[in-house]
């Protein structure tokens, strides 16, 4: 056999080995994607919960190093149902989808389903709870309906590019909408009197009200409601997604998610009676 033929045969063998290696890697990735997360959680004895800091969803007490909040409380309750230990895995909202895809954690509660996120991860169809678009209105500003706010002399602060910004731009043709890059700057504008009200979804308004110590959280009619649920890794086997859906729906139907919310508000020194509920059936009574 000539040297040239020998070299060609070696090169062909190397290519075949490389291809086999790539196939093994792809097969391993497919096996991971198709693995039953529910069984993994049970076998591990731990439910790994993504915890992106942000009240009232996830809050880390710096003194005790313990997590609090609606999302964490829901995770603790669901881990109890499974008979496993809840484990916090710190993440951010910006990297949470990638974290789920990589298997860094098993679930992220209080995560809204968006078209972009749904291209990469799964969401159960059952709602975990509801929140409504509302306003933190200065003392003396009546707002039973959105029409009450749609006046040229009413200034409303929103975070630029958010859902409230888009909604109010359509809903309020006459009010003056002031746009700010983040919630801290909106809060500062409200504190200084540069705006008469701030519009966010109501759990965030409750937390803002607790910081600024002024105004009233209102849900003007017609109420614009949105639901949230939980994000999970996209497995071929949908047992985990479906079970999480049943579990979060049970938290809602039993009123346990509202109890978790009220416990967090009390922990943060907020009177739950002053905060609209997470159960939309109770909004007419707030």
């Amino acid at each position: 056999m000539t040297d040239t033929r020998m070299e060609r045969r070696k090169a062909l063998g190397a290519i075949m080995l490389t291809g086999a290696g790539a196939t093994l890697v792809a097969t391993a990735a497919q096996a991971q994607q198709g693995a039953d997360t529910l069984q993994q959680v049970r076998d591990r004895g731990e439910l790994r919960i993504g915890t992106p800091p942000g009240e009232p969803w996830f809050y880390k007490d710096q003194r005790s190093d313990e997590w609090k909040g609606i999302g964490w409380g829901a995770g603790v309750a669901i881990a109890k149902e499974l008979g496993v230990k809840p484990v916090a895995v710190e993440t951010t909202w910006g990297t949470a989808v990638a974290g789920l895809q990589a298997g860094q954690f098993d679930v992220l509660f209080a995560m809204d389903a968006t078209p972009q996120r749904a291209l990469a991860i799964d969401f159960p169809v059952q709602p975990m709870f509801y929140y409504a678009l509302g306003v933190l209105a200065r003392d003396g500003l009546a707002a039973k309906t959105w029409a009450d706010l749609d006046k040229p002399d009413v200034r409303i602060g929103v975070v630029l590019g958010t859902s409230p910004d888009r909604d109010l731009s359509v809903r309020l043709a006459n009010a003056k909408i002031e746009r700010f890059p983040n919630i801290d700057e909106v809060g500062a504008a409200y504190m200084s009197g540069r705006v008469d009200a701030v519009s966010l979804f109501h759990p965030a308004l409750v937390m803002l009200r607790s910081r600024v110590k002024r105004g009233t959280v209102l849900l003007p009619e017609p109420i614009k409601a949105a639901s949230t649920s939980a994000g999970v890794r996209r497995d071929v086997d949908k047992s985990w997604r479906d079970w999480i859906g049943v579990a979060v729906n049970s938290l809602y139907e039993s009123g346990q998610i509202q109890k978790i919310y009220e416990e967090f508000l009390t922990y943060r020194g907020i009177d739950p009676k002053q905060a609209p509920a997470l159960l939309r059936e109770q909004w007419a009574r707030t």
Side-chain angles (χ1 to χ4, degrees), residues 123-206:
F123 295 88
V125 296
Q126 297 90 334
M128 182 176 170
F129 58 84
Y130 292 86
Y131 43 79
L133 186 63
V135 292
L136 173 60
R138 62 167 170 76
D139 296 329
L141 179 60
K144 182 174 178 59
T145 68
W146 288 105
D148 294 331
L149 296 168
D150 195 16
K151 302 173 182 177
D153 59 341
V154 175
R155 302 161 300 170
I156 303 178
V158 297
V159 177
L160 178 66
T162 60
S163 177
D165 179 9
R166 294 189 294 271
D167 187 82
L168 265 62
S169 297
V170 175
R171 190 187 294 266
L172 305 181
N174 299 306
K176 187 176 182 181
I177 301 175
E178 301 280 359
R179 296 171 175 84
F180 300 87
N182 55 61
I183 192 171
D184 291 336
E185 294 198 28
V186 175
Y190 178 78
M191 283 288 290
S192 67
R194 290 166 54 198
V195 296
D196 304 299
V198 173
S199 184
L200 300 165
F201 285 103
H202 81 264
L205 288 174
V206 170

